[in-house]
Amino acid sequence: MRVLVTGGAGFIGSHVVEALRAGGHEPVVFDLRGGGAGGDVRDPDAVSAALARVDAVCHQAAMVGLGDGVSDAADYVSHNDLGTAVLLAAMARAGVRRLVLAGSMVVYGEGRYTCARHGTVRPGPRSAADLAAGRFEPRCPSCAADLAPGLVGEDAPADPRNVYATTKLAQEHLAAAWARSTDGTAVSLRYHNVYGPGMPRDTPYAGVASFFRSALARGQAPRVFEDGGQRRDFVHVRDVAAANVAALEAERAGGTLGAYNTGSGEPHTVGEMAVALAGAHGGPDPVVTGEYRLGDVRHITADSSRLRADLGWKPQVGFEEGMREFATARLREG
């Protein structure tokens, strides 16, 4: 299969390219960084040219991370949503009917919570006053009791809490509309916290694992926000790349969007990750700062069993093994 990989020179995209080659496919790299079919996914002419003789598209190109509140909202919408719309329109014209989209678990907002009295509940956004006072855990919206975090399934309602999350949800809606109108097959892999070799260093748009790894490379202690108790699912980039290949190879009925949570299945706190990474690197030890960012969610870990059952995928890199590798892995500039 000849596969156009948008963002194919980036962190996740480059690993997808490697996994496709290893699987006997022919990846075509399309990326702002150049190389291969270099170009901007928002450029209709460049995208149309890149789609020549292509059987499928793996859409990884995106502006990622929490960013700067809403001041860079136009950039996010341009790169993520306009870019996706341009790509899908070009695919419709070219007759390319197979798409795998780099989705994100951020579309859920806060994760799944259970109240002993009220059952499953969905707390609203945490207030600046609570965060400033160190009250980091969401409370039951009905009785203000403590909540127990759990796993989110793909059928949970979307509740994006920041600009990036909103654009990722819009990408899914655009892909669903394209699939219905073309009878194409579309899969969104809702990534958890992806980490591994080739992550970008020292950028406000990288993930928390990159922040910590960059600090350690400078000889500085990783700075852990809140109290470090935020639950996440850290999934290795090679496992994510393998999930993309599995989704591209899967036989699916056209006309709908299939969404799959893509995580390791082993939730860990941010504090645990910082300790494991610092330990594998040889220090310095993390510092818990109590700082916070509005728009961050407290706990988000999702159930990835549907991906395992439907596509036969399962992660191969465990948490401890992955952190040991990542502690000394190469990072990408910018």
Side-chain angles (χ1 to χ4, degrees):
M1 191 177 350
R2 181 175 166 88
V3 182
L4 182 69
V5 184
T6 69
F11 167 46
I12 298 175
S14 62
H15 285 273
V16 171
V17 167
E18 291 179 9
L20 284 167
R21 286 198 182 111
H25 301 291
E26 181 185 356
V28 177
V29 174
F30 186 87
D31 198 291
L32 273 170
R33 297 169 180 84
D40 190 332
V41 75
R42 296 166 295 180
D43 181 342
D45 292 336
V47 173
S48 294
L51 285 169
R53 298 178 291 107
V54 160
D55 303 301
V57 173
C58 189
H59 185 30
Q60 305 293 317
M63 187 172 175
V64 301
L66 187 59
D68 298 317
V70 296
S71 63
D72 48 9
D75 288 336
Y76 273 101
V77 171
S78 176
H79 283 275
N80 297 354
D81 298 336
L82 175 60
T84 298
V86 169
L87 172 66
L88 294 173
M91 289 175 65
R93 291 192 299 270
V96 179
R97 296 291 183 263
R98 186 179 292 265
L99 171 72
V100 174
L101 171 69
S104 175
M105 53 79 187
V106 296
V107 301
Y108 297 119
E110 283 286 354
R112 184 178 186 273
Y113 292 87
T114 302
C115 172
R117 181 178 176 186
H118 294 99
T120 300
V121 298
R122 291 183 63 82
R126 297 178 295 169
S127 70
D130 280 345
L131 292 169
R135 295 187 292 268
F136 301 123
E137 292 290 341
R139 300 282 182 163
C140 176
S142 298
C143 66
D146 291 340
L147 299 174
L151 300 180
V152 181
E154 288 90 348
D155 296 329
D159 185 18
R161 298 288 177 88
N162 54 59
V163 170
Y164 170 62
T166 302
T167 65
K168 296 306 289 183
L169 183 59
Q171 282 185 314
E172 290 195 351
H173 288 312
L174 288 165
W178 166 85
R180 285 192 296 270
S181 66
T182 65
D183 199 33
T185 63
V187 172
S188 177
L189 298 177
R190 291 174 175 170
Y191 299 160
H192 276 261
N193 291 71
V194 186
Y195 74 96
M199 282 195 87
R201 69 163 75 233
D202 297 326
T203 165
Y205 299 99
V208 65
S210 179
F211 293 164
F212 293 168
R213 176 67 179 80
S214 295
L216 290 166
R218 297 191 301 268
Q220 299 172 355
R223 295 176 61 81
V224 180
F225 279 19
E226 301 187 17
D227 59 0
Q230 310 93 302
R231 283 164 51 99
R232 299 290 188 269
D233 185 325
F234 299 98
V235 59
H236 197 278
V237 66
R238 288 196 297 273
D239 287 330
V240 168
N244 276 272
V245 176
L248 284 163
E249 293 176 342
E251 293 298 325
R252 297 182 56 85
T256 60
L257 175 77
Y260 291 99
N261 295 327
T262 307
S264 72
E266 301 179 20
H268 290 274
T269 68
V270 171
E272 288 171 345
M273 188 270 286
V275 168
L277 190 58
H281 189 271
D285 293 335
V287 175
V288 177
T289 68
E291 297 174 86
Y292 62 89
R293 297 189 302 181
L294 284 175
D296 272 348
V297 298
R298 179 62 174 176
H299 304 297
I300 176 65
T301 53
D303 181 356
S304 299
S305 59
R306 181 184 291 181
L307 179 60
R308 291 159 170 75
D310 286 6
L311 302 186
W313 168 89
K314 63 179 180 179
Q316 302 296 320
V317 183
F319 179 76
E320 297 296 337
E321 174 192 354
M323 289 298 156
R324 284 195 300 270
E325 178 198 29
F326 186 49
T328 57
R330 172 188 59 85
L331 297 180
R332 182 186 300 269
E333 297 295 337

